[in-house]
């Protein structure tokens, strides 16, 4: 079993029937070697007695912002700094709303505001309350503030409803804590990634683009963050929320993507080119809307710079991973691109059949490098991304140790 020794977890409990699950969570954390302190809001105490958590954690439970005795032992600012992780489980709708608004009218809210450490929340509420736009907005804004969202799960609820809103089980929350503290295969790696399409202006209202939704690239960003990488995502226009924890640079044209990437590539360890960059742009985009004046219209297109090939030609350069989107002879074209662009790795996908590649939620890849290959079978883009990031981490580590041996 993975150890949590030396890890300090501050567990916040708010008012909800799921509070009973947190007792099991305390037990699991203590068993794995973590030091646990528990803070309860006034409503939490209506569901479970503080004594339960005191007995399990081996420490007094913190209840009140104005408790002179507790403050003299460890004041609330010190408590906020003491922990390595502040986990609120269960986190009620009311608590999430107040937390998002920056309220500090009880001890736990004060600690969330005062803690310099990562804060995770495990939402638990009725499915209708969870679906309410106010809750959704609070959750979205908390995620944008780097609060980690663990759950909720879907299923039968204490009130008899069925839907999304159940708190994750104690074991799942415990696994998330373990994952949070495990360094990850790309810990410390600076990863630069392109995603989505580019738009090449024809005139102020029209453009040339393609069917890329950004789903594959955004899934890769999330998977790399989960493996500990610090991710900069240069993205063309897509309708997706920024992956939590990524530094998102929004661009529109291939030239803007080129500029954003070239500015950051020299300081990056890994570069993944997942964007579907327009190969051509309109030579002279019109300043005014082009009027319909004849039966045909010719546009002169000129070649865009190849971002991936340019990054790959840098010296020194990041570990370069390209994509190949092909409708036919996938392997032949992918191997050609691997060689011509001097890449460390290329992930080839069949596109145009509706089952994988552009737009769909699924993909499958044939991945090639100089002396090897690996197939990633048909699965959700999230799953394909996890597998590809694992493979990249493996190959990158090999390349780095080979480099170290040569110097
Ligand atoms: O966004 P989704 O809807 O989820 O779809 C995912 C995807 C199909 C777009 C993705 O999996 C994918 O295949 N991305 C690469 C698409 C592409 O442009 O392939 P290509 O074979 O034309 O280009 C080869 C490589 O060169 C790619 O890594 C591309 O990013 C890069 N390139 C191409 C042209 C250019 N000017 N600059 C580049 O960097």
């Amino acid at each position: 079993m993975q150890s949590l020794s030396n890890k300090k977890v501050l567990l916040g409990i708010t008012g909800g029937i799921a509070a009973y699950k947190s007792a099991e969570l305390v037990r699991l954390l203590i068993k794995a070697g973590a030091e646990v302190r528990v803070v309860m809001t006034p409503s939490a105490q209506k569901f479970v007695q503080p004594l339960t958590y005191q007995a399990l954690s081996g420490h007094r439970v913190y209840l009140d912002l104005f408790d002179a005795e507790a403050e003299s032992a460890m004041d609330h600012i010190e408590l906020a700094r003491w922990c390595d992780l502040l986990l609120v489980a269960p986190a009620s709708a009311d608590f999430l709303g107040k937390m998002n608004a920056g309220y500090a009218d009880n001890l736990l809210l004060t600690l969330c505001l005062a803690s310099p450490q990562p804060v995770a929340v495990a939402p638990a509420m009725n499915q209708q309350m969870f679906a309410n736009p106010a809750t959704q907005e609070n959750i979205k804004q908390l995620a944008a503030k780097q609060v980690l969202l663990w759950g909720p799960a879907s299923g039968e609820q204490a009130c008899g409803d069925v839907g999304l809103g159940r708190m994750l089980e104690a074991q799942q929350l415990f696994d998330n804590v373990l994952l949070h503290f495990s360094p990850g295969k790309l810990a410390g790696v600076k990863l630069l990634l392109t995603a989505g399409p580019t738009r090449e202006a024809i005139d102020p209202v029209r453009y040339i683009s393609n069917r890329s939704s950004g789903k594959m690239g955004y899934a890769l960003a999330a998977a790399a963050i989960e493996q500990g990488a610090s991710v900069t995502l240069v993205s063309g226009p897509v309708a997706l929320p920024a992956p939590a924890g990524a530094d998102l640079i929004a661009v529109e044209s291939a030239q803007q993507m080129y500029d954003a990437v070239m500015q950051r590539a020299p300081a990056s360890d890994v570069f993944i080119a997942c964007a579907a960059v327009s190969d051509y742009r309109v030579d002279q985009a019109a300043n005014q809307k082009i009027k319909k004046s004849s039966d045909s219209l010719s546009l002169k297109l000129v070649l865009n710079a190849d971002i991936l090939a340019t990054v790959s030609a840098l010296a020194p350069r990041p570990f370069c991973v390209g994509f190949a989107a092909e409708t036919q002879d996938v392997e032949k074209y992918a191997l050609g691109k691997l060689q011509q662009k001097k890449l460390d790795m290329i992930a080839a996908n069949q596109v145009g059949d509706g089952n994988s590649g552009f737009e769909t939620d699924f993909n499958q890849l044939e991945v090639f490098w100089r002396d090897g290959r690996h197939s990633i079978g048909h699965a959700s883009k999230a799953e394909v991304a996890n597998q590809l990031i694992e493979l990249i981490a493996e190959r990158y580590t090999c390349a780095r140790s080979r480099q170290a041996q040569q110097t």
Side-chain angles (χ1 to χ4, degrees), residues 194-198 210-218 220 238 240 254 257-258 271-280 303-311 321-326 333-334 337 341 343 346-351 356-365 381:
T194 64
T198 62
N210 58 62
R211 294 181 185 279
S212 171
S213 62
K215 288 176 189 169
M216 190 67 241
Y218 277 53
L220 284 168
V238 296
L240 298 173
M257 188 173 274
Y258 178 94
F271 175 55
I272 307 177
C274 186
V277 186
S278 285
D279 287 327
Y280 293 91
L303 196 61
N304 277 324
D306 192 304
I307 302 169
L308 177 58
T310 314
V311 172
V321 182
F323 266 75
E326 311 294 348
Y333 288 124
K337 285 173 187 173
K341 301 192 191 194
L343 305 178
I346 194 153
N349 39 203
Q350 172 90 38
V351 294
S356 57
F358 288 96
E359 288 178 310
T360 156
D361 289 331
F362 297 89
N363 208 1
Q364 68 187 80
L365 297 172
K381 280 183 175 166

